[in-house]
Amino acid sequence: MKFTLLRKSVPAWLILVAIIGTAASISVYVATNLKTTASQPDFSLTANPNRETLLNGSRGYWSTITVGAANNFTGIVSMAVSFPNGVNVRLLKVDGSNQIDVSQVLLGRDQSLNLTISAANAGNYSLVVTGTSGRLSHSVTVNIIARGLALSTNPSPIKISPASSSTVSVTLTSLNGLAGNFTTSFHQNSGFYWGASGIPTSILIRPGGTTTFTITITTQPQFGGGRSTLDFDTPLGSTGFQLYVFAP
């Protein structure tokens, strides 16, 4: 006995209807899921500015961290900041004339916080601010460029006998690209019986460069050692160094 397989053609219009129906189902599924995802309550984190250039050792600069509510988000967002060694940070909320350290914010509307930053040493650093609420978590990165100066003297240490004078070579070195024409000032501490002359009123230093100048230190008969401050006003702020002079 033989069986014969009969082939029956399917009308083209029926195939077209099936394709259109399948495509429509996929479109409805995708649109529904996208709408559901987009409408979920959430929050956001932004930093302004997200890149800071500061003078090492100076008091903190700051970035404004904004915690924003989206799609009627309400709730508590826990805040944390991760940062490398040598950098100090505080996350503060301004309350009138006061600034209060915070680790959480209550959202029903946008909240702004101050991230204060200082760096002990010149270098490039990255800080990460993270907000967490339940399963939701967002982060923003703030990049820090800390620049500065290094000062050295020759001789070092400086030793001068009472009632005498001596020349001292002072060398400034640019750290991490600090440059400019810096105004100098010398602050004499009273009671130490010594003074300095020949200090230039301004110093020009190029990125990564050095500059050297010579000063004359004169002591009085009562001199027994002491210190004074040599300050430099840079484009990023003022930085100072203690000059110690010792009696032999």
Side-chain angles (χ1 to χ4, degrees), residues 42-46 66-70 73 77 107 109-111:
D42 202 349
F43 69 93
S44 62
L45 283 182
T46 58
T66 301
V67 190
F73 176 89
V77 178
L107 279 190
R109 58 184 179 85
D110 293 357
Q111 299 278 357

Side-chain angles (χ1 to χ4, degrees), residues 179-196:
N181 195 8
F182 308 151
T183 302
T184 62
S185 57
F186 180 72
H187 301 281
Q188 176 72 56
N189 289 334
S190 62
F192 290 139
Y193 303 105
W194 68 274

Side-chain angles (χ1 to χ4, degrees), residues 172-185:
L172 286 177
T173 301
S174 162
L175 301 177
N176 205 30
L178 183 65
N181 195 8
F182 308 151
T183 302
T184 62
S185 57

Side-chain angles (χ1 to χ4, degrees), residues 71-117:
N71 300 319
N72 299 315
F73 176 89
T74 58
I76 295 175
V77 178
S78 298
M79 305 296 298
V81 185
S82 60
F83 51 93
N85 292 334
V87 176
N88 293 316
V89 302
R90 293 178 67 189
L91 196 58
L92 304 169
K93 182 177 181 179
V94 178
D95 183 10
S97 59
N98 299 319
Q99 296 193 90
I100 305 169
D101 289 276
V102 295
S103 59
Q104 293 181 330
V105 293
L106 177 62
L107 279 190
R109 58 184 179 85
D110 293 357
Q111 299 278 357
S112 293
L113 306 173
N114 285 344
L115 178 68
T116 64
I117 308 160

